[in-house]
Every structure is written in C-alpha cells, then in structure tokens.
Amino acid sequence: MPAAASGSYPRRVYDSLPGTVRRRLRRLKISLVPIVQCALAAGVAWWIAIHVFAHPDPFFAPIAAVISLGLGLGRRWRRSVELVGGVAIGILVGDLFIGFVGEGAWQIMVVVVLAMSLAVVLDDGLLIPMQAASSAVLVATLLPPGGVAGFHRAIDALIGGVVGIVVAALFPVNPANRAREDAAGVLLTIRNAARSVAAGLREGDAETIAAALEAARGTQAAINNMRTDMTGGREVTRISPLYWGSRDRLDRLVRTADPIDNAVRNFRIIARRSLAVTQRGERVQPAIIEIIEDVGGAFEVLREMMLADPGEDPDPVEAARVIRSIVRKAPTGLAVNSHLSEAALLAEIRSLLVDLLMIAGLRRSSALATLRS
C-alpha cells in the first residue's frame, strides 16, 4: 500500500484487513506498473502495425507485446527474442510442409512435431517451442501457405517484442523497490516466526512452534519471487538509461539473496528442533530462548534496512552492530552443561547468525571471524 503516516486512518484501515486481503492488495500494488506497461505496449504495437505497416487485423502485435513484458521483471529481453524466433520457425516449417503435403489432421500433428523439435534443437527456452507450434498450427489451419498472412504475423511478433522492450526501457519499474519489498516480506515472516518460537519454548506450547515452522516453510515461493525480481531488476538497469546509476545498489541487494535463503533454511531447522524439544517435554534454558527472541529483533532490523533509502537508518553498519550484540550472547560455552538437543539448537542459532551478518553486508569469512571471536 502507499506509504502513510504512522497511525493514519488509511494505514489503520489497511492493518485491520484480513491477512489474505492485505497480501492480495500488496500483490496488486507491486504489479501495477507492469500492468500499465503491458497496456501501453499493446496499444502502441497495434497502432504501429495498423498505421505504419498497414497490416489488416494485426492481433498478434499487441499479444506479442504483452507476452514479452508480462508481470515478471526478469527475462523480458529473452522472452521477446524467443517469441519472435518461435513465430519465425513455426511459419517457416508450416509454410514449407503444408505447402508440400496439404492440410489435414495428420499434417497438423507432423508440423507440430517438426516445429517444436527444430525450436528445441536451436534453443533451450520454454517459450520458443510453444510459439513455433502455435504458429505452425495457424499456417496449417487458417493462414494459406505461401501467402503474406504468415509473414505479417512474424512482423507483428517483431513489432510487439520491440515495442515491449522500448516501453520497459522508457517507463521502467524501479529495479530495486520490488526486490527490496520481496526481501522485506520474507524477513517479516521469519521475524514473526522467531518470536513465536521463543514464546512457544518459554510456555512449552508445541502448537505455537508448529505454526511458526509452517509459516517458515511457506516462504519458499516468496524467496523464489525475490530472486526473480532481483534478476529482473538487473535487466532493467541494463536496458533503461534511467536506472544505469542503480547498478551498484542493485548488485549489493542481489548479494543478499543467498544469505536470506540460507537464513530461512537455518531458521526452519531451529524451529523443527524447538518443536521436537517441546514435544518431548524438555526445557530450554532461558538464555537460549532470549537469543531466539533477539534473533526475531535482528530480522526486524534487517527488514527495516532493506526498506531504508540510501542515507536512512538502519543502514548495514547499524544492522551488523545489532547482530554482533546477539553473537556475544551466544558463545559455545553456553551449552556446555546442556542436553544434546539444546547444544544442537545453539549450534544452529550460531549458524543462523552468520547468515544474518552476511545479509548485513559482511563477507562469510568476516562473519565467521565475528562468531569465533
């Protein structure tokens, strides 16, 4: 949702909505610019095909523009190339084969096999064989072989693909914002889960820990989206002059992807161990529970760091300082006289702290050195 003053009426209304509604609204918010891009590209591609190239009913030009852009930020250039290449292959194969043997059911089957096989041999993309097959089918069923309709379709695909890339370059999505919000969303989920695990351990409540574990397990799709948007953001900084200056910042953001993924995986292990300990009726010493609660606070600081603009707090230095304070609370000697499960839990927490330090910008060697010291 648009930013609002803390405690403002729109913010209170938004916060009062059910979680599923808030997630859907957030999904709409981050997709608004790509939706507008698709609409603009579709209209422009249709106009160019009609008024510049004088193609009758150039339905595929706007379709190609929308397909080449889509809602995702990644692989737009690649999708455009695959689209045009697939259409060209399909029309070539369909024109030659159908023109030689005629139309019919078995001819359609053969032409689809030939077009898709040639596309797969030439390129490993997923879109190119589908476009090759659909174009070949059009030639075999609707477009007369040897006519100009198939050639017009290929030109329309090129128009749509080029217009899509131009629109993405001139009216780009901010390459960092979407990835930052993706990362912040993952960190928010794990922040809440860490606090729930700490509460569950303190109260001996296995159900609370199980719910936290389930929430952590459900983040993989969000992590995948985060990686895709980071890759797409890099593509935006390459094709859009407006964001050439954002490359370094986006590169720093991309370097957090693996540590965030690893941190979530390590937290899932912590949650599973905590659940097993609680289900067996064992108790975890308060110092370790407090560290897990502090870890929740560290995830919050990292979330705020992700959303902060350059020059705003908390910055990576502040985030690293907070995490180092937690590291000092978690020496290996804390579990010297503990049962095996508690010692294993502490070991996983220390591994997680390495990931958190790396999210804050430290190299792995520096993060490990911080843990050893």
Side-chain angles (χ1 to χ4, degrees):
M1 296 298 291
S6 177
S8 66
Y9 179 72
R11 171 58 62 183
R12 291 198 302 272
V13 170
Y14 175 70
D15 290 341
S16 68
L17 295 173
T20 54
V21 175
R22 292 199 303 271
R23 285 193 295 272
R24 292 174 190 272
L25 289 175
R26 179 182 177 274
R27 197 162 63 232
L28 175 61
K29 174 197 169 187
I30 65 177
S31 299
L32 279 178
V33 174
I35 288 171
V36 172
Q37 286 178 331
C38 288
L40 179 61
V44 172
W46 171 271
W47 187 91
I48 291 175
I50 285 281
H51 295 285
V52 177
F53 290 87
H55 290 178
D57 299 323
F59 64 92
F60 197 64
I63 291 175
V66 172
I67 292 175
S68 67
L69 287 173
L71 294 181
L73 299 185
R75 297 172 59 85
R76 284 177 159 184
W77 178 260
R78 170 77 177 182
R79 282 200 299 269
S80 296
V81 173
E82 289 182 359
L83 188 69
V84 176
V87 170
I89 291 171
I91 291 172
L92 174 64
V93 172
D95 229 31
L96 292 176
F97 187 80
I98 299 301
F100 182 71
V101 302
E103 302 176 358
W106 72 268
Q107 288 93 331
I108 292 176
M109 288 186 280
V110 173
V111 82
V112 167
V113 170
L114 291 176
M116 294 188 76
S117 298
L118 179 58
V120 169
V121 169
L122 294 177
D123 192 87
D124 62 352
L126 298 178
L127 180 60
I128 188 168
M130 301 305 297
Q131 286 302 323
S134 62
S135 297
V137 168
L138 276 176
V139 172
T141 56
L142 296 177
L143 306 179
V148 297
F151 177 72
H152 283 176
R153 176 178 162 88
I155 295 299
D156 289 343
L158 181 60
I159 292 170
V162 170
V163 168
I165 294 300
V166 171
V167 167
L170 297 181
F171 306 95
V173 178
N174 187 305
N177 280 357
R178 192 157 163 178
R180 288 164 58 196
E181 291 186 3
D182 290 336
V186 173
L187 295 170
L188 175 63
T189 300
I190 304 304
R191 179 206 71 179
N192 295 337
R195 291 174 176 174
S196 295
V197 168
L201 285 172
R202 189 173 287 116
E203 299 165 9
D205 185 351
E207 290 186 2
T208 297
I209 299 175
L213 174 58
E214 191 63 28
R217 284 172 172 165
T219 57
Q220 195 56 52
I223 292 172
N224 294 341
N225 288 339
M226 176 190 73
R227 289 184 178 276
T228 299
D229 286 341
M230 287 178 177
T231 302
R234 271 184 164 170
E235 184 175 296
V236 170
T237 63
R238 286 195 295 268
I239 68 174
S240 176
L242 298 176
Y243 286 109
W244 285 347
S246 299
R247 291 175 183 174
D248 290 342
R249 185 183 179 198
L250 192 64
D251 286 343
R252 289 193 298 271
L253 184 61
V254 169
R255 286 195 290 270
T256 67
D258 286 341
I260 290 175
D261 196 349
N262 293 335
V264 173
R265 295 176 190 274
N266 271 326
F267 178 78
R268 290 172 189 156
I269 297 173
I270 291 170
R272 284 199 303 270
R273 291 190 183 280
S274 299
L275 180 60
V277 166
T278 305
Q279 288 173 335
R280 290 196 299 267
E282 299 175 359
R283 306 299 296 183
V284 175
Q285 59 175 295
I288 293 181
I289 297 176
E290 182 181 341
I291 292 169
I292 295 175
E293 196 162 36
D294 289 343
V295 163
F299 275 109
E300 172 60 17
V301 172
L302 291 170
R303 184 189 75 85
E304 293 173 355
M305 181 195 77
M306 285 291 174
L307 295 177
D309 290 324
E312 293 183 350
D313 291 329
D315 60 9
V317 174
E318 172 62 18
R321 186 192 65 77
V322 171
I323 299 165
R324 286 191 182 99
S325 70
I326 303 173
V327 170
R328 288 193 290 270
K329 294 181 178 181
T332 54
L334 189 62
V336 167
N337 298 318
S338 302
H339 52 75
L340 182 61
S341 297
E342 196 172 65
L345 186 59
L346 179 62
E348 290 297 337
I349 293 171
R350 287 172 57 83
S351 179
L352 171 60
L353 290 171
V354 172
D355 298 325
L356 298 185
L357 287 168
M358 292 178 67
I359 297 173
L362 273 70
R363 296 178 181 271
R364 181 169 181 81
S365 57
S366 298
L368 290 171
T370 300
L371 206 66
R372 287 193 295 268
S373 63

